[in-house]
Amino acid sequence: LHRRRHSFPTRRSSDLSNMGDSFFYLLNAISKLDKLDVTQVTKVSKFYKTKAWGYKEQDDFINCCVELETKLLPYKLLFEISNIESKLQRVRELHWGPRTIDIDIIFYDDLRIESEKLTIPHKYYKQRNFVLVPLLDIIWDKKQIIKYIDKKSFNDLEEYKYPKKIGISACLLGDNIKYNGGNNYTKLYVQTLKLDYLKVCPETLVGLPIPRVPSEIKGDKVFSKIGDDLSEEFEVAANKTLERIKKYGVDIVIMKSKSPSCGYENIYDGTFTGNLIKGNGRTVDCLLKNGIKIISY
């Protein structure tokens, strides 16, 4: 593809999944791509449900294509993609077999690479409608793609729309509800992905003020920086959040990372020094115990 006029080179990748909640794995992968250093997801195609390619005795896949603007060089980008696949439990037991997530680099501007580790453009993209059709959603030079589409199997692709709302931390949507009165706005979920969402903010559900003294988890308690024990408030906030998302049938929630409510897998250690430890925020723990899937952003 030709280089577009912006400060970051353009790369296009294809994501697919057919194990577990495939939409959850795709959404998680896109979120992790957007959080890579010097990288931003700028376009995401529609999601498509397709038959398996290669090894056909397996469940249907959900596929999409993603445009990235990134300063990561090709092999570094490949390394980061492999890390994302590993974090999402990608296991390579059978060639072209079932997998939670599979992320391929299709193009990297107009660069051409042929090596044992990486081939760009992807060597099979011209043979795969499940790559070509999503590419049409995000690519500016459609003539370069449409000529390869197999019209006989075009109808094998069915647009997939997730049937439920997605819970999203309100600060990620631009609401000024952080402890310091600010937000963590990201355009990925509303402007780029255009998700149908339910705003989530445990702290505001129990009336904690904005702004407020920052809080962290220490041991089995939640303390403010000035020593107030807020454990009960955070417990009530978790239960109210669970009640709210159950009311709307939400089963995937995108949470802001590291916080004593919404942190997933890593939280601040209670010393207010920026150090992280393994653990979950109070609300995330509550949601996980009740079968809600969490994506950390």
Side-chain angles (χ1 to χ4, degrees), residues 39-66:
T39 299
Q40 182 180 25
V41 171
T42 52
K43 292 182 183 178
V44 181
S45 74
K46 298 174 184 175
F47 294 87
Y48 293 90
K49 187 175 181 180
T50 65
K51 300 295 182 183
W53 189 88
Y55 177 69
K56 297 183 180 299
E57 300 301 317
Q58 56 182 311
D59 292 339
D60 292 346
F61 282 85
I62 297 178
N63 307 267
C64 71
C65 283
V66 175

Side-chain angles (χ1 to χ4, degrees), residues 19 24-25 84-91 99-101 265:
M19 290 181 68
F24 166 74
Y25 283 114
I84 291 172
E85 290 179 333
S86 295
K87 289 176 181 176
L88 297 179
Q89 294 88 50
R90 166 76 189 269
V91 178
R99 54 268 203 204
T100 58
I101 194 70
E265 295 183 338

Side-chain angles (χ1 to χ4, degrees), residues 208-256:
L208 290 176
I210 305 167
R212 56 186 173 272
V213 177
S215 303
E216 295 185 4
I217 295 174
K218 189 171 184 178
D220 60 353
K221 298 283 188 179
V222 182
F223 293 99
S224 74
K225 193 172 183 178
I226 59 175
D228 294 329
D229 186 345
L230 299 175
S231 303
E232 183 176 350
E233 287 86 343
F234 275 74
E235 192 68 27
V236 172
N239 290 322
K240 282 183 174 289
T241 302
L242 177 63
E243 180 182 340
R244 178 170 165 76
I245 68 171
K246 280 187 171 182
K247 176 182 177 180
Y248 288 93
V250 170
D251 60 4
I252 298 174
V253 181
I254 301 165
M255 289 293 211
K256 181 65 186 80

Side-chain angles (χ1 to χ4, degrees), residues 108-124:
Y108 189 107
D109 283 357
D110 55 0
L111 189 65
R112 293 187 175 273
I113 297 176
E114 289 190 25
S115 71
E116 291 184 6
K117 289 186 177 181
L118 182 61
T119 299
I120 297 177
H122 192 281
K123 61 183 177 181
Y124 293 118

Side-chain angles (χ1 to χ4, degrees), residues 99-247:
R99 54 268 203 204
T100 58
I101 194 70
D102 186 354
I103 307 172
D104 290 324
I105 302 173
I106 308 301
F107 302 112
Y108 189 107
D109 283 357
D110 55 0
L111 189 65
R112 293 187 175 273
I113 297 176
E114 289 190 25
S115 71
E116 291 184 6
K117 289 186 177 181
L118 182 61
T119 299
I120 297 177
H122 192 281
K123 61 183 177 181
Y124 293 118
Y125 86 90
K126 295 177 184 178
Q127 305 169 31
R128 297 175 170 181
N129 269 14
F130 66 81
V131 174
L132 295 169
V133 174
L135 272 175
L136 285 177
D137 291 339
I138 66 171
I139 206 167
W140 64 273
D141 187 6
K142 299 184 187 301
K143 291 181 181 179
Q144 189 164 328
I145 297 300
I146 201 167
K147 62 185 177 182
Y148 298 116
I149 290 178
D150 180 2
K151 295 181 180 178
K152 292 181 180 179
S153 60
F154 184 83
N155 291 330
D156 289 347
L157 277 75
E158 175 186 347
E159 185 179 350
Y160 176 84
K161 293 185 178 180
Y162 199 68
K164 301 180 181 181
K165 288 181 181 292
I166 306 296
I168 305 177
S169 287
C171 64
L172 295 175
L173 300 172
D175 287 10
N176 294 320
I177 45 79
K178 286 182 62 180
Y179 74 91
N180 61 4
N183 64 71
N184 298 106
Y185 175 71
T186 171
K187 69 178 185 179
L188 174 64
Y189 300 116
V190 178
Q191 293 187 31
T192 307
L193 279 166
K194 298 180 174 62
L195 296 178
D196 184 14
Y197 63 86
L198 174 72
K199 287 185 181 182
V200 174
C201 181
E203 288 87 346
T204 59
L205 285 178
V206 291
L208 290 176
I210 305 167
R212 56 186 173 272
V213 177
S215 303
E216 295 185 4
I217 295 174
K218 189 171 184 178
D220 60 353
K221 298 283 188 179
V222 182
F223 293 99
S224 74
K225 193 172 183 178
I226 59 175
D228 294 329
D229 186 345
L230 299 175
S231 303
E232 183 176 350
E233 287 86 343
F234 275 74
E235 192 68 27
V236 172
N239 290 322
K240 282 183 174 289
T241 302
L242 177 63
E243 180 182 340
R244 178 170 165 76
I245 68 171
K246 280 187 171 182
K247 176 182 177 180

